[in-house]
Amino acid sequence: MSERLSRIESLIGAEALERLGKLRVAIFGVGGVGSVCAESLVRSGVCHLTLVDSDCVVESNINRQLPAMIPTVGRAKVDVLAEHFADINPEAEIVPVQALYSMADRDRFNFANFDVVVDAIDSLAHKIDLLTTASEAGCQVFCSLGAAGKLDPTQVRTASIWETSGCPLGKLVRNGLRKRDFKGDFQAVYSLEKNIKTTDLGSAMPVTAAFGLALSSLVIRSVLPPEN
């Protein structure tokens, strides 16, 4: 165990930290939510991380996304993050995949290679397909619902996807899962805050980062022994 992980080992124990280090995690979408989740996991001891996102950095990302800085505009987000994470843990296996997950190309992703899938993508149809496909492949799935149009991180919550409330995207996802006859369950991150009404739905880092950190916490807690 390296000194850089000593504080989290003190918190969760050596056995849980070892399990975390062996966990194979894939994050689909590394924008404001997914990029923060990814960095938190790397700093917490995750050593096998696949990053999936088709986008390159644009200036409008700078207010909330970790890979977005003036010098990185135009570069692939996954490549920027992979370089950054190598500076945090040079021994970590970070696989950047510049691709868009969609129903048409799901077969390019071998979900048998992943223990955990974090969904942080926006497109509703592709989101539902990712959630069902990863779950049915036996992955432990964690989902981000709507983080846009909000400013209050204290209203961020986690719950079963079937028990989320107050989130319009959550309702759409549940309806989509029912249409797919999905019988499983997974934890989702959502907010009780009502969307701020604007002509263009904006996003702010206090909330998107809170979503990302909540997702990473779910992943970390998944390796802890069950409570008595």
Side-chain angles (χ1 to χ4, degrees):
M1 195 266 314
S2 67
E3 180 65 22
R4 65 176 177 267
L5 295 175
S6 61
R7 300 299 290 269
I8 190 165
E9 183 185 38
S10 297
L11 183 64
I12 68 174
E15 291 184 7
L17 183 60
E18 182 178 0
R19 287 193 291 271
L20 196 60
K22 294 178 179 179
L23 210 60
R24 300 168 300 166
V25 181
I27 299 180
F28 288 78
V30 292
V33 174
S35 63
V36 172
C37 175
E39 176 153 334
S40 176
L41 291 177
V42 173
R43 290 186 181 276
S44 300
V46 168
C47 295
H48 306 282
L49 184 61
T50 299
L51 308 172
V52 182
D53 197 303
S54 64
D55 288 347
C56 293
V57 175
V58 297
E59 285 195 40
S60 62
N61 300 149
I62 291 175
N63 80 308
R64 68 199 184 283
Q65 298 187 16
L66 292 187
M69 297 166 282
I70 295 298
T72 63
V73 170
R75 293 191 59 199
K77 294 177 184 178
V78 292
D79 290 340
V80 175
L81 287 174
E83 291 175 7
H84 176 52
F85 296 159
D87 289 336
I88 296 171
N89 182 3
E91 299 173 358
E93 177 192 26
I94 309 296
V95 181
V97 180
Q98 189 179 7
L100 176 70
Y101 180 88
S102 70
M103 293 173 282
D105 66 359
R106 75 164 75 95
D107 290 342
R108 70 173 294 176
F109 301 101
N110 184 0
F111 287 95
N113 290 334
F114 308 131
D115 301 306
V116 173
V117 166
V118 176
D119 154 49
I121 63 178
D122 297 323
S123 169
L124 178 61
H126 300 328
K127 189 180 197 74
I128 292 168
D129 189 79
L130 172 62
L131 292 167
T132 54
T133 300
S135 295
E136 290 166 358
C139 302
Q140 186 162 19
V141 172
F142 300 106
C143 168
S144 170
L145 296 178
K150 305 175 191 304
L151 279 174
D152 185 358
T154 68
Q155 297 198 52
V156 175
R157 302 287 188 272
T158 63
S160 158
I161 184 61
W162 305 113
E163 296 175 0
T164 60
S165 62
C167 176
L169 179 57
K171 182 177 181 179
L172 293 173
V173 169
R174 289 192 298 275
N175 288 341
L177 293 173
R178 292 187 184 99
K179 289 179 181 178
R180 293 278 294 255
D181 198 30
F182 179 73
K183 304 298 185 184
D185 194 10
F186 50 82
Q187 290 287 299
V189 179
Y190 67 105
S191 174
L192 297 172
E193 183 181 4
K194 292 183 178 179
N195 284 358
I196 297 171
K197 294 182 179 179
T198 61
T199 54
D200 184 18
L201 200 60
S203 301
M205 191 168 188
V207 173
T208 58
F211 268 63
L213 293 173
L215 283 169
S216 69
S217 175
L218 289 171
V219 175
I220 294 166
R221 284 183 282 156
S222 74
V223 304
L224 300 179
E227 296 181 0
N228 296 327

